Amino acid sequence: MRNSLHVAPQDPVKKRRRRTRLALAAAVAVTVGGSGVYIANASAAEVVVPGRLQAEAFAAQSGTQTEGTGDKDGGKNVGWVSNGDWLRFDNVSITGTDLTARVAADNRTGGSIELHLGSQTGKLLGTFKVSSTGGWQKWTTVTARASAVPSGKQTVFAVAKSTQQSDFVNINWFTLGPASPASPSPSPSSAAPSSAPSSSPASSSPTSSAPTSPAGFVPVDQAKWQAELDYFDSVPLQKVPGDIVRVAEFQTNCKATVEAPVDPIVFPNMPGASHMHTFFGPEKIDASTTNEDLLTTRTNCDAPGDFSAYWAPTLTQDGKTVPMQGFRVYYGSRLADPSVTKPFPPGLRIVQGDAKLQEATPKGKNGQFWCAGSAEIGRSADGNWPKCAAGGNLIYQLTFKDCWDGKNIDSPDHKSHMANAVDGKCQGDYPVAVPNLSFMLGYDTLGGDGLKLSSGMASSIHGDFMNAWDPKKLSDLVKVCLTQKAKCGTTPGWN
C-alpha cells in the first residue's frame, strides 16, 4: 500500500522544502488537527477556469498530498510527487492534441509526467518534461503533444517519472486540448480529492442529519453510532477478581488468508494497484471489499464477533514470501483513565505507518523489527534487520492511534480522523477515546540478510484496519475489559 500522506525523508533538501511549504500553507489553509493535511478555507478559493482539469480533482491517487497553492488562480495543488506516484481522473474528454500542465519544482534532477489511458501503464497519451522552476511555488506552464485524440470519455492517469526517489514536482492543473468550456474540468467541490472510496459502504452512509464533512472525509452514520453507544451504556460492569492483571486489554488471534496486490482502503475497486499485502482474518477479500461485506464473510479470527480485516505488506526473504508464525491484535488503552474508552464506530477504517518511508533502521533506531523467543545475535549486512538466535523468530509491533474525531470513519490519508492522546487524554479535535490497536506480526524466520517488505525497506512497515466487529460483542469487551482496566483474552470476563 502506498499511503497518501507523504512523510519527508530526513535529508536537508527535503527538510528545507517542507519548511517552505508549511509557511505557505499557513497563510492559505487551515490544518486538520496538526496532521499535516491541509483543507483550503474561503480565503483560498479557487478561480475555476473553463477547460482546466484541476490536479486535486482526482478520483484516486498514490503517494501524493494536496496543499494550499500560491499560484495565481488560488485553491490547491497536488504536491509531494515522486517517482512512481500517480493521479487518476475519470470521465475525461480529450479535445485536441495540444496538452499543457501547470507545474512547480525545486529539484534539479527533474523528471517527467506521463499521461496514460486506462491504467498507469496503458497507452501513452503524452509526456511533460519537468525541470527546476526555482521553487515549490514558482509556477510555469509546460506543453506536450498527444499521440492521438481518443473519442469518448477516458480514464487518464498522470504518472510521475524521475531517476531519483525524492519529490520532484508540484502539479496545479492540466488542459487536454483547447481550453474551452467543451473540455471538462471537474471542480474540487464536486470531486472527491482523495484515495478514499468514491462512494461510502452501506455501513457508513451518513444520515440526513449527519454533519457535512470536508472533501475526502467519510462521515459516520450517526444513527448506527448512537445505537452502538446506547447498547454500550447498558452493558453491566463485572466484579474483577483480585488475581487478575490490571491492564486494559483483550485480544484477537487471526491467521493469514489472502496474499494479493490489493488494498480496499487506499485503492478501492482497483485490483493490482497496490504492492503485495498479507491479509489476516477474512477468508475472502479483494479490492472492492467493504466493511459491510466483511460482516457476512467467514473469518478465522478467534474472538467471537470479530469479522474485521487486518493487513500489512508482505515480507520476503531472497525473493520468497516469509510465512507468518503468528498474528495477534491487542486491543488496549494507553490513557491515564481507560474508563472513558468507547467501542469503534461502525465502518471505521484506519491506516498506520508510512509505506513511502524508506530510511535505514540500524540497531537502536525507533521502529525496529526485533527477535522474540531468543536474543539478537547480529544484524544483516545493511544493518536494517536483526539476526535472531535459534529458537526465536522475527517480530514487529505496530501501534495505532487511539483518539477519534467523533465525526468521520475515514479521511483522505486514512489517518487524519485519528490522533494520539495529549497528556494522557483524548481532547481537542479528537475527543473520543477508542481501543488502541497493536498488531503483533510474527514471522517464521530468524531474520538476517535478504529481507524486504513489498513496500520497500523495513521503515516502510504499515498496517490497515477495517472494522467489522459485531457492535454488541465489541461493546461487551470494551466495557468489561478496557473501562475496568482488566486483562481479558478473547471474551469479556475471566472464566
Side-chain angles (χ1 to χ4, degrees):
M1 177 203 66
R2 289 177 68 85
N3 174 40
S4 58
L5 182 60
H6 196 149
V7 176
Q10 298 300 309
D11 66 74
V13 173
K14 194 68 172 291
K15 286 181 179 178
R16 287 197 298 272
R17 176 184 181 186
R18 183 166 290 270
R19 285 196 294 267
T20 301
R21 286 170 168 241
L22 291 178
L24 170 68
V28 299
V30 294
T31 60
V32 181
S35 64
V37 176
Y38 294 89
I39 306 298
N41 62 22
S43 66
E46 180 150 18
V47 178
V48 178
V49 178
R52 286 186 183 171
L53 182 64
Q54 298 294 341
E56 69 273 21
F58 51 75
Q61 60 87 30
S62 173
T64 72
Q65 183 180 336
T66 58
E67 64 178 350
T69 188
D71 204 5
K72 58 185 178 182
D73 293 332
K76 299 187 211 178
N77 63 255
V78 172
W80 284 267
V81 183
S82 60
N83 181 56
D85 293 345
W86 52 260
L87 307 172
R88 189 191 86 199
F89 304 93
D90 294 341
N91 300 314
V92 175
S93 293
I94 300 167
T95 60
T97 57
D98 292 329
L99 313 175
T100 62
R102 186 72 168 171
V103 299
D106 194 18
N107 188 311
R108 286 175 291 180
T109 300
S112 63
I113 303 168
E114 297 179 354
L115 299 183
H116 291 264
L117 301 179
S119 71
Q120 300 101 295
T121 57
K123 182 178 179 180
L124 180 65
L125 179 69
T127 302
F128 300 102
K129 297 296 184 183
V130 175
S131 57
S132 176
T133 63
W136 294 115
Q137 292 295 326
K138 290 185 179 296
W139 294 91
T140 190
T141 302
V142 294
T143 62
R145 175 76 65 171
S147 57
V149 180
S151 60
K153 301 291 186 180
Q154 303 291 321
T155 296
V156 177
F157 282 78
V159 183
K161 300 286 186 179
S162 181
T163 58
Q164 53 149 39
Q165 291 303 311
S166 60
D167 303 338
F168 74 95
V169 66
N170 286 352
I171 310 170
N172 195 8
W173 48 256
F174 299 98
T175 62
L176 308 180
S180 68
S183 178
S185 181
S187 68
S189 61
S190 62
S194 74
S195 53
S198 57
S199 61
S200 304
S203 61
S204 58
S205 300
T207 63
S208 58
S209 60
T212 301
S213 294
F217 286 79
V218 181
V220 67
D221 185 318
Q222 294 289 345
K224 289 184 177 181
W225 171 229
Q226 188 58 55
E228 184 173 10
L229 289 179
D230 289 344
Y231 175 82
F232 174 76
D233 290 340
S234 73
V235 176
L237 297 174
Q238 296 183 20
K239 183 177 181 180
V240 182
D243 60 347
I244 295 301
V245 177
R246 301 312 293 263
V247 173
E249 181 183 286
F250 62 91
Q251 67 193 45
T252 189
N253 301 285
C254 312
K255 295 178 182 178
T257 55
V258 177
E259 186 179 304
V262 300
D263 191 320
I265 292 179
V266 178
F267 302 121
N269 305 310
M270 297 178 65
S274 171
H275 52 255
M276 196 68 70
H277 284 107
T278 301
F279 291 82
F280 306 92
E283 293 185 1
K284 180 182 178 182
I285 192 166
D286 56 34
S288 62
T289 297
T290 66
N291 300 69
E292 192 75 14
D293 294 334
L294 294 173
L295 294 171
T296 58
T297 302
R298 290 175 59 88
T299 181
N300 61 37
C301 294
D302 64 356
D306 183 16
F307 297 93
S308 303
Y310 311 88
W311 61 96
T314 301
L315 180 66
T316 62
Q317 189 160 28
D318 299 325
K320 297 180 180 179
T321 297
V322 176
M324 299 302 300
Q325 192 172 92
F327 177 78
R328 171 174 290 182
V329 182
Y330 287 107
Y331 286 74
S333 174
R334 299 179 294 175
L335 304 182
D337 178 13
S339 69
V340 300
T341 308
K342 306 297 182 184
F344 291 124
L348 185 68
R349 301 185 286 266
I350 315 173
V351 173
Q352 180 65 38
D354 183 3
K356 292 192 71 173
L357 186 60
Q358 307 292 330
E359 294 182 350
T361 50
K363 186 174 182 178
K365 186 169 183 177
N366 291 335
Q368 287 285 302
F369 281 73
W370 47 282
C371 296
S374 70
E376 178 180 319
I377 57 174
R379 304 290 290 184
S380 59
D382 61 11
N384 295 324
W385 304 88
K387 292 182 179 179
C388 305
N393 68 283
L394 189 70
I395 196 168
Y396 190 88
Q397 181 174 8
L398 182 68
T399 302
F400 284 63
K401 296 176 181 178
D402 49 5
C403 294
W404 177 47
D405 68 5
K407 301 174 182 178
N408 302 289
I409 56 171
D410 205 350
S411 53
D413 61 358
H414 317 294
K415 298 180 179 182
S416 295
H417 54 309
M418 305 295 298
N420 289 314
V422 177
D423 297 327
K425 298 180 181 180
C426 292
Q427 53 189 302
D429 292 333
Y430 302 89
V432 183
V434 293
N436 170 237
L437 293 176
S438 184
F439 285 10
M440 298 299 293
L441 294 150
Y443 300 94
D444 191 10
T445 176
L446 294 175
D449 295 325
L451 289 169
K452 183 180 181 181
L453 290 168
S454 57
S455 51
M457 298 174 69
S459 57
S460 69
I461 185 67
H462 55 279
D464 297 51
F465 168 63
M466 185 179 278
N467 175 38
W469 274 89
D470 177 311
K472 292 184 177 180
K473 297 290 188 182
L474 179 61
S475 292
D476 291 344
L477 283 160
V478 173
K479 191 65 168 287
V480 173
C481 309
L482 301 192
T483 69
Q484 295 191 117
K485 198 175 183 180
K487 184 177 176 64
C488 299
T490 58
T491 58
W494 307 275
N495 296 328

